[in-house]
Coordinates of all heavy atoms in Angstrom, one line a residue:
G269 N 148.0 -42.8 102.1 CA 146.6 -43.0 101.7 C 145.7 -43.0 102.9 O 146.0 -42.6 104.0
D270 N 144.4 -43.5 102.7 CA 143.4 -43.5 103.7 C 143.3 -44.8 104.4 O 143.5 -45.9 103.8 CB 142.0 -43.1 103.0 CG 142.0 -41.7 102.4 OD1 142.7 -40.8 103.0 OD2 141.4 -41.6 101.4
F271 N 142.9 -44.8 105.7 CA 142.7 -46.0 106.5 C 141.4 -45.8 107.3 O 141.1 -44.7 107.8 CB 143.9 -46.2 107.4 CG 145.2 -46.3 106.8 CD1 146.0 -45.2 106.5 CD2 145.7 -47.6 106.5 CE1 147.2 -45.3 105.9 CE2 147.0 -47.7 105.8 CZ 147.7 -46.6 105.6
N272 N 140.7 -46.9 107.5 CA 139.6 -46.9 108.5 C 140.2 -47.1 109.9 O 141.4 -47.4 110.0 CB 138.5 -47.9 108.1 CG 139.0 -49.3 108.0 OD1 139.7 -49.8 108.9 ND2 138.6 -50.0 107.0
E273 N 139.3 -47.1 110.9 CA 139.8 -47.1 112.3 C 140.5 -48.5 112.6 O 141.6 -48.5 113.2 CB 138.7 -46.9 113.2 CG 139.1 -46.6 114.7 CD 140.1 -45.4 114.8 OE1 140.0 -44.4 114.0 OE2 141.1 -45.5 115.6
P274 N 139.9 -49.6 112.2 CA 140.6 -50.9 112.5 C 141.9 -51.0 111.8 O 142.9 -51.6 112.3 CB 139.6 -52.0 112.0 CG 138.2 -51.3 112.1 CD 138.5 -49.9 111.7
Q275 N 142.0 -50.5 110.6 CA 143.2 -50.5 109.8 C 144.3 -49.6 110.5 O 145.5 -50.0 110.6 CB 143.0 -50.0 108.4 CG 142.3 -50.9 107.5 CD 141.9 -50.3 106.2 OE1 141.8 -49.1 106.0 NE2 141.7 -51.2 105.2
R276 N 143.9 -48.5 111.1 CA 144.8 -47.7 111.9 C 145.3 -48.5 113.1 O 146.5 -48.4 113.5 CB 144.0 -46.4 112.5 CG 143.7 -45.4 111.4 CD 144.9 -44.6 111.1 NE 144.5 -43.6 110.1 CZ 145.4 -42.9 109.4 NH1 146.7 -43.0 109.6 NH2 145.0 -42.0 108.5
K277 N 144.4 -49.3 113.7 CA 144.9 -50.1 114.8 C 145.9 -51.1 114.3 O 146.9 -51.4 115.1 CB 143.7 -50.9 115.4 CG 144.0 -51.7 116.7 CD 142.8 -52.3 117.3 CE 143.2 -53.1 118.6 NZ 142.0 -53.7 119.2
I278 N 145.7 -51.7 113.1 CA 146.7 -52.6 112.6 C 148.0 -51.9 112.4 O 149.1 -52.5 112.7 CB 146.2 -53.1 111.2 CG1 144.9 -54.0 111.4 CG2 147.3 -53.9 110.5 CD1 145.1 -55.3 112.0
V279 N 148.0 -50.7 112.0 CA 149.3 -49.9 111.8 C 150.0 -49.8 113.1 O 151.2 -50.1 113.3 CB 149.0 -48.6 111.2 CG1 150.3 -47.7 111.1 CG2 148.4 -48.7 109.8
S280 N 149.2 -49.4 114.2 CA 149.8 -49.2 115.5 C 150.4 -50.5 116.1 O 151.5 -50.5 116.6 CB 148.8 -48.6 116.4 OG 149.3 -48.4 117.7
L281 N 149.6 -51.6 116.0 CA 150.1 -52.8 116.5 C 151.3 -53.4 115.8 O 152.2 -53.9 116.4 CB 148.9 -53.9 116.5 CG 147.8 -53.6 117.5 CD1 146.6 -54.6 117.2 CD2 148.2 -53.8 118.9
T282 N 151.3 -53.2 114.5 CA 152.4 -53.6 113.7 C 153.7 -52.9 114.1 O 154.8 -53.5 114.1 CB 152.1 -53.4 112.2 OG1 151.0 -54.2 111.8 CG2 153.3 -53.9 111.3
A283 N 153.6 -51.6 114.3 CA 154.7 -50.8 114.7 C 155.3 -51.3 116.1 O 156.5 -51.5 116.3 CB 154.3 -49.3 114.9
D284 N 154.4 -51.7 117.0 CA 154.8 -52.2 118.3 C 155.5 -53.6 118.1 O 156.6 -53.8 118.6 CB 153.5 -52.4 119.1 CG 153.8 -53.0 120.5 OD1 155.0 -53.1 120.9 OD2 152.8 -53.3 121.3
F285 N 154.9 -54.4 117.3 CA 155.5 -55.8 117.0 C 156.9 -55.6 116.4 O 157.8 -56.3 116.7 CB 154.6 -56.6 116.1 CG 155.0 -58.0 115.9 CD1 154.7 -59.0 116.8 CD2 155.7 -58.4 114.8 CE1 155.1 -60.3 116.6 CE2 156.1 -59.7 114.5 CZ 155.8 -60.7 115.5
M286 N 157.0 -54.7 115.4 CA 158.3 -54.6 114.7 C 159.4 -54.1 115.7 O 160.6 -54.5 115.5 CB 158.2 -53.6 113.6 CG 157.3 -54.1 112.4 SD 157.0 -52.9 111.1 CE 158.7 -52.6 110.5
G287 N 159.1 -53.2 116.6 CA 160.1 -52.8 117.6 C 160.6 -54.0 118.4 O 161.8 -54.1 118.7
R288 N 159.7 -54.9 118.8 CA 160.1 -56.1 119.5 C 160.9 -57.1 118.7 O 161.8 -57.7 119.1 CB 158.8 -56.8 120.1 CG 158.0 -55.9 121.0 CD 156.6 -56.5 121.3 NE 155.7 -55.7 122.0 CZ 155.3 -55.8 123.2 NH1 155.8 -56.8 123.9 NH2 154.4 -55.0 123.8
Y289 N 160.5 -57.2 117.4 CA 161.0 -58.2 116.5 C 162.5 -57.9 116.1 O 163.3 -58.8 116.0 CB 160.2 -58.2 115.2 CG 160.2 -59.4 114.3 CD1 159.3 -60.4 114.6 CD2 161.1 -59.5 113.3 CE1 159.2 -61.5 113.7 CE2 161.0 -60.6 112.4 CZ 160.1 -61.6 112.7 OH 160.1 -62.7 111.8
F290 N 162.7 -56.6 115.9 CA 164.1 -56.2 115.5 C 164.9 -55.5 116.6 O 166.1 -55.2 116.4 CB 164.0 -55.2 114.3 CG 163.5 -55.9 113.1 CD1 162.2 -55.7 112.6 CD2 164.3 -56.8 112.3 CE1 161.7 -56.4 111.5 CE2 163.8 -57.4 111.2 CZ 162.5 -57.2 110.8
G291 N 164.3 -55.2 117.7 CA 165.0 -54.5 118.8 C 165.4 -53.1 118.5 O 166.4 -52.6 118.9
C292 N 164.6 -52.4 117.6 CA 164.8 -51.1 117.2 C 163.6 -50.2 117.6 O 162.5 -50.7 117.7 CB 165.0 -51.0 115.7 SG 166.5 -51.8 115.1
K293 N 163.8 -48.9 117.8 CA 162.8 -48.0 118.0 C 162.0 -47.8 116.7 O 162.6 -47.7 115.7 CB 163.3 -46.6 118.5 CG 162.3 -45.6 118.9 CD 162.9 -44.4 119.5 CE 161.9 -43.4 120.0 NZ 162.5 -42.2 120.6
V294 N 160.7 -47.7 116.8 CA 159.8 -47.5 115.7 C 159.0 -46.3 115.9 O 158.3 -46.1 116.9 CB 158.9 -48.8 115.5 CG1 158.0 -48.6 114.3 CG2 159.7 -50.0 115.3
K295 N 158.9 -45.5 114.8 CA 158.1 -44.2 114.9 C 157.2 -44.2 113.7 O 157.6 -44.5 112.5 CB 159.0 -43.0 114.8 CG 159.8 -42.8 116.1 CD 160.6 -41.4 116.0 CE 161.4 -41.2 117.3 NZ 162.1 -39.9 117.2
I296 N 155.9 -43.8 113.9 CA 155.0 -43.6 112.8 C 154.9 -42.2 112.4 O 154.7 -41.3 113.2 CB 153.6 -44.1 113.3 CG1 153.6 -45.6 113.7 CG2 152.5 -43.9 112.1 CD1 152.3 -46.1 114.2
R297 N 155.1 -41.9 111.1 CA 155.1 -40.5 110.6 C 153.7 -40.1 110.3 O 152.8 -40.9 110.2 CB 156.0 -40.4 109.4 CG 157.4 -41.0 109.6 CD 158.3 -40.7 108.4 NE 158.9 -39.4 108.5 CZ 159.6 -38.9 107.5 NH1 159.8 -39.6 106.4 NH2 160.1 -37.6 107.6
D298 N 153.6 -38.8 110.0 CA 152.3 -38.2 109.5 C 151.9 -38.8 108.2 O 152.8 -39.1 107.3 CB 152.3 -36.7 109.5 CG 152.5 -36.0 110.8 OD1 152.1 -36.7 111.8 OD2 153.0 -34.9 110.9
D299 N 150.6 -38.9 107.9 CA 150.2 -39.5 106.6 C 150.7 -38.7 105.4 O 150.8 -37.5 105.5 CB 148.6 -39.5 106.6 CG 148.0 -40.5 107.6 OD1 148.8 -41.1 108.4 OD2 146.8 -40.7 107.6
L300 N 150.9 -39.5 104.3 CA 151.0 -38.9 103.0 C 149.8 -39.2 102.2 O 149.3 -40.4 102.2 CB 152.3 -39.4 102.3 CG 153.6 -38.9 102.9 CD1 154.8 -39.6 102.1 CD2 153.8 -37.4 102.8
P301 N 149.3 -38.3 101.3 CA 148.1 -38.6 100.5 C 148.5 -39.4 99.2 O 149.6 -39.3 98.7 CB 147.6 -37.2 100.1 CG 148.9 -36.3 100.1 CD 149.8 -36.9 101.2
L302 N 147.5 -40.2 98.8 CA 147.8 -40.9 97.5 C 147.9 -40.0 96.3 O 148.4 -40.4 95.2 CB 146.6 -41.9 97.3 CG 146.7 -43.2 98.0 CD1 145.5 -44.1 97.6 CD2 148.0 -44.0 97.7
S303 N 147.5 -38.7 96.5 CA 147.6 -37.8 95.4 C 149.1 -37.5 95.0 O 149.4 -37.0 93.9 CB 147.0 -36.4 95.7 OG 147.6 -35.9 96.9
L304 N 150.0 -38.0 95.8 CA 151.4 -37.8 95.5 C 151.9 -38.9 94.4 O 152.9 -38.8 93.9 CB 152.3 -38.0 96.7 CG 152.2 -36.9 97.8 CD1 153.0 -37.2 99.0 CD2 152.7 -35.6 97.2
I305 N 151.0 -39.9 94.2 CA 151.3 -40.9 93.2 C 150.7 -40.5 91.9 O 149.5 -40.3 91.8 CB 150.7 -42.3 93.6 CG1 151.1 -42.7 95.1 CG2 151.1 -43.4 92.6 CD1 152.6 -42.9 95.3
P306 N 151.5 -40.3 90.9 CA 151.0 -39.8 89.6 C 150.2 -40.9 88.9 O 150.3 -42.1 89.2 CB 152.3 -39.5 88.8 CG 153.3 -40.4 89.4 CD 153.0 -40.5 90.9
D307 N 149.4 -40.5 87.9 CA 148.5 -41.4 87.2 C 149.4 -42.5 86.5 O 148.9 -43.6 86.4 CB 147.7 -40.7 86.1 CG 146.7 -39.8 86.8 OD1 146.3 -40.0 88.0 OD2 146.2 -38.9 86.1

């Protein structure tokens, strides 16, 4: 779905934190649209 700029920052920071928390590499994939969710 859609994100504003501060929300994008939250995504990026969360990915960083998760890598430290679990000791695993974290990758952010390209967006998927909400249109993939049926009515």
Side-chain angles (χ1 to χ4, degrees):
D270 298 325
F271 302 87
N272 59 44
E273 194 57 37
Q275 289 171 336
R276 290 281 180 193
K277 184 175 182 179
I278 295 290
V279 175
S280 177
L281 289 173
T282 300
D284 182 5
F285 186 83
M286 290 174 65
R288 300 167 189 252
Y289 203 90
F290 292 103
C292 294
K293 188 174 183 178
V294 179
K295 291 184 178 181
I296 301 176
R297 308 186 82 187
D298 293 338
D299 292 6
L300 290 177
L302 277 183
S303 59
L304 292 175
I305 308 295
D307 291 343

